[in-house]
Amino acid sequence: MGGSCRRISQFVLKVHSRCDLSCDHCYIYQHADQTWRGRPARMPPATVRRAARRIAEHAREHGVPVVHVVLHGGEPLLLGAAGLREVLAELRTTITPWARLDLRLQTNGVLLDEELCRLFVEYDVRVGVSFDGDRAANDRHRVFAHGGSSHDQVRRALALLRRPQHRASYAGILCTVDVRNDPDRVYEALLAERPPRVDLLLPHATWDQPPLRPGPDPTPYARWLGRIHRRWVDDGRPVSIRMFEALRPGGGGTEAFGLAPADVLVIETDGAWEQVDSLKTAYHGAAGTGLDVFDHPVDEVVRHPGVAVRQDGVDGLCATCRACPVVDRCGGGLYAHRWRTGSGFDNPSVYCPDLLALIDAVDAYPPPTPPASGEWSATAPVDELLDDLATGHGSTSTLALLAATQLSITRALLAACRDRFGSTAAWDLLVHLDQAAPDAVQAVLAHPFVRPALVHRLDPAALPGLGAALDPLPALAVAAALRAGVPATVRVPLRAGAITVPTFGDLVLPGPGESAEVTVGPGGFRARVGSVERTVSLDPLAPPTTGWLPTRDVPVPGGRLLLEDGDPYRDCYGQPVERRLEAPAARALGRTLTDAWRVVQRDVPAHAAALDGGLRAVVPLAPDPARPLRSATARHAFGAVAVTPHPDPETMAVLLVHEWQHAKLGAVLDLYDLVEPGQGTRIRVPWRPDPRPPEGVLQGVYAHLAVTQVWRSRADTDAPDASAQAAHFRTWTRDGVEALLASRSLTAAGERFVGQLRHALEETRVGSG
């Protein structure tokens, strides 16, 4: 029976129920619920052990890949370093055999010192600090019982967390909004602490106890937050602000916004299971369940009516919210803020007018978007490019930028070859053509297998199995001259008795020799080895030339796609590639690819546009009876994917989308570090039996998000098995995202990117829930 329950992955442990500050807006001590008075001040060791075992039991039985545990209070630092070490050691020892453990701690910061910081680094704990901004804003509420300021102590704590040796434990700042404070000064004070993330929280209120609204403005919170949002956008979004990211289209992903099911349980100091503790603002006992860790497993708590009702998404909202056009953005607001005596939680948020106005403000002042021309500058903020790709597909402008940067890398490799091996006649011809006919040179250099050829020339060990590292520049010069219609004569090295003219084809030349003299003329070229000479016409109506094997292309809705089964540098996928396909097989694969492209257009038009924006070639992989359905990408071959020929366009469509995700992300990783360098971390994921490095998990998550989107679209048409497939890949993606975020292996840009992927996944909902 427990297996049918919802998995819970987030747990809050109230390890200490008293506090050294006396904040007048605290929902624990100052609001309706006063159950703290009858509970022990600190969680006893036996309760900690039992709580850890209940969490581990649930993770084991339900296959929860990542468990998030937040140490909370009161003030958890009142436990002291020794007490916290006991708690952290118990949690690590008990839970980590069954799940990756993401440990967090929320504190007011007053007692934070170097010893505690070292402890948090040792146990890999991320620390969030409550801080309301400048001195006047912070001391409006966050003061000691005698009324004294906490501002200096909190700033000292934040400075400790910023130190390089402690920075890994700095999770961010939690700031409670007070509209009487100056939003600009608050914003500037928060940014001055250089937090990885800021959480702006609306003060807890209900319809029985409405929020402060000074003056005649009906939406002061929207106006206050809108001012910070505008500053944040103008500044290039220098820090992640969760509220604004959640309210953007496709946002969600927080307790306060969106329709994701509730996924958090609280364990009080006496071992009582409680619902999310913000409910304490509603009425006395609102968060209680009557259950505890000693006698009741997690599955029983999940079936509690108060927990179960929060799993219903939009169906669990009041009629007003269900009819609202932005319900998918605000999700009805924080559950506790809906309380009203008489109707319970069946109401909109008490902040409903502010949420509507704030969504309008966010929409009215979006981040800058790439120009319509598609010529997005390579100096565009990293966040914009990553956020665009984190939708799962990326815009045509982003694809144009990725293609342009890949071309720049190829040109840099070309220059490196010149520097290493010196100028040659082929180099001089390329330089001349780049000035006289730049489009012709660019078309050749953009061919996916030019970069592998240059990499192999510079370092043969980088791409083993490709044979001798021949100079690729002569063949490139011939291809560019053919495209430009410029007469030229170049000596091109032979490989296995043939020359390859990139994007055009291969010419087999019998007889001894290490190179062929190639002369480009009108409409074709002539190649000579010793006494053997072949003339190749590029006119499709001309008689075929003996030994000439042209590269075939396939008409697809986005243009023409090369069926690349001849270029020797296509053999860069780490698995055997198909030799030259016979004409019937090539035609069959071409038809499948054309139909598959149309299927992608039908299912996920945004992904079809992304294919149009950069996929230029498909490489057939050699058949393998043990693995009949295979696909691959190569980091150095942007613009190409490799697939096992398959007759079903529906299957081929999924392969194309899946592999193009890898190609796009590989191009991004050429530009930005999303994973911290030198990582030795290995992460367990559901789609592989072996632990994977962070970059491999990131690639898998990005590909599976797109596949989820394909199957979700098909589920809307009631395609057979589509809903099950969508749910399957969604689970894989979600578990991979959570494992990545918990691994602490990502850079700040990487954490932002993966966080946005999680938002995109929340938008790709499966079924009605």
Side-chain angles (χ1 to χ4, degrees), residues 10-30:
Q10 302 180 63
F11 299 86
V12 176
L13 265 63
K14 299 284 189 169
V15 294
H16 203 289
S17 70
R18 305 299 188 267
C19 189
D20 47 355
L21 290 184
S22 183
C23 307
D24 61 10
H25 58 9
C26 180
Y27 63 89
I28 300 293
Y29 306 108
Q30 305 295 337

Side-chain angles (χ1 to χ4, degrees), residues 13-15 40 42-55 79 83 86-87 90-91 94 267-272 292-295:
L13 265 63
K14 299 284 189 169
V15 294
R42 59 185 296 162
M43 183 177 285
T47 306
V48 175
R49 286 194 296 273
R50 193 60 178 170
R53 290 172 187 170
R54 286 298 190 194
I55 295 170
L79 273 183
E86 290 178 3
V87 172
E90 182 67 44
L91 293 170
T94 306
I267 304 174
E268 279 287 356
T269 55
D270 60 356
D292 60 62
V293 296
F294 301 102
D295 297 320

Side-chain angles (χ1 to χ4, degrees), residues 583-599:
R587 286 194 296 269
L589 178 56
R591 286 192 298 270
T592 302
L593 289 170
T594 300
D595 292 342
W597 208 284
R598 294 194 181 101
V599 169

Side-chain angles (χ1 to χ4, degrees), residues 477-561:
V478 168
L482 281 167
R483 288 186 174 276
V486 173
T489 299
V490 185
R491 294 206 68 86
V492 179
L494 287 163
R495 179 189 294 275
I499 61 170
T500 296
V501 184
T503 73
F504 286 100
D506 303 276
L507 179 62
V508 178
L509 291 163
E514 294 183 353
S515 63
E517 182 184 79
V518 178
T519 300
V520 176
F525 66 93
R526 183 179 68 252
R528 178 182 300 179
V529 178
S531 60
V532 177
E533 183 175 290
R534 297 282 188 269
T535 298
V536 176
S537 172
L538 300 180
D539 182 350
L541 299 179
T545 299
T546 302
W548 174 239
L549 303 172
T551 301
R552 292 166 288 203
D553 60 15
V554 176
V556 293
R560 301 195 75 81
L561 187 68

Side-chain angles (χ1 to χ4, degrees), residues 451-490:
R451 179 171 163 185
L454 296 170
V455 168
H456 187 58
R457 172 67 165 159
L458 290 165
D459 182 10
L463 293 171
L466 290 181
L470 304 180
D471 183 4
L473 271 62
L476 298 177
V478 168
L482 281 167
R483 288 186 174 276
V486 173
T489 299
V490 185

Side-chain angles (χ1 to χ4, degrees), residues 50-134:
R50 193 60 178 170
R53 290 172 187 170
R54 286 298 190 194
I55 295 170
E57 171 187 85
H58 184 72
R60 182 184 70 246
E61 292 179 358
H62 292 272
V64 181
V66 182
V67 169
H68 309 270
V69 175
V70 182
L71 303 188
H72 209 282
E75 174 47 55
L77 297 191
L78 287 171
L79 273 183
L84 284 168
R85 179 180 291 277
E86 290 178 3
V87 172
L88 295 171
E90 182 67 44
L91 293 170
R92 284 261 175 240
T93 301
T94 306
I95 298 172
T96 51
W98 308 107
R100 183 177 293 277
L101 179 58
D102 173 28
L103 280 170
R104 309 267 169 156
L105 181 143
Q106 186 64 38
T107 175
N108 61 36
V110 169
L111 296 177
L112 190 68
D113 58 20
E114 293 196 33
E115 181 184 8
L116 285 166
C117 285
R118 290 193 296 270
L119 174 69
F120 296 145
V121 171
E122 177 185 350
Y123 278 91
D124 196 18
V125 181
R126 302 290 297 279
V127 179
V129 178
S130 299
F131 180 61
D132 287 349
D134 62 290

Side-chain angles (χ1 to χ4, degrees), residues 707-708 710-716 718-732 765-767:
V707 174
T708 303
V710 172
W711 283 110
R712 182 65 188 90
S713 175
R714 292 180 182 180
D716 287 339
D718 296 325
D721 199 37
S723 291
Q725 290 283 4
H728 170 72
F729 283 103
R730 190 178 191 277
T731 298
W732 275 9
R765 297 185 181 90
V766 179

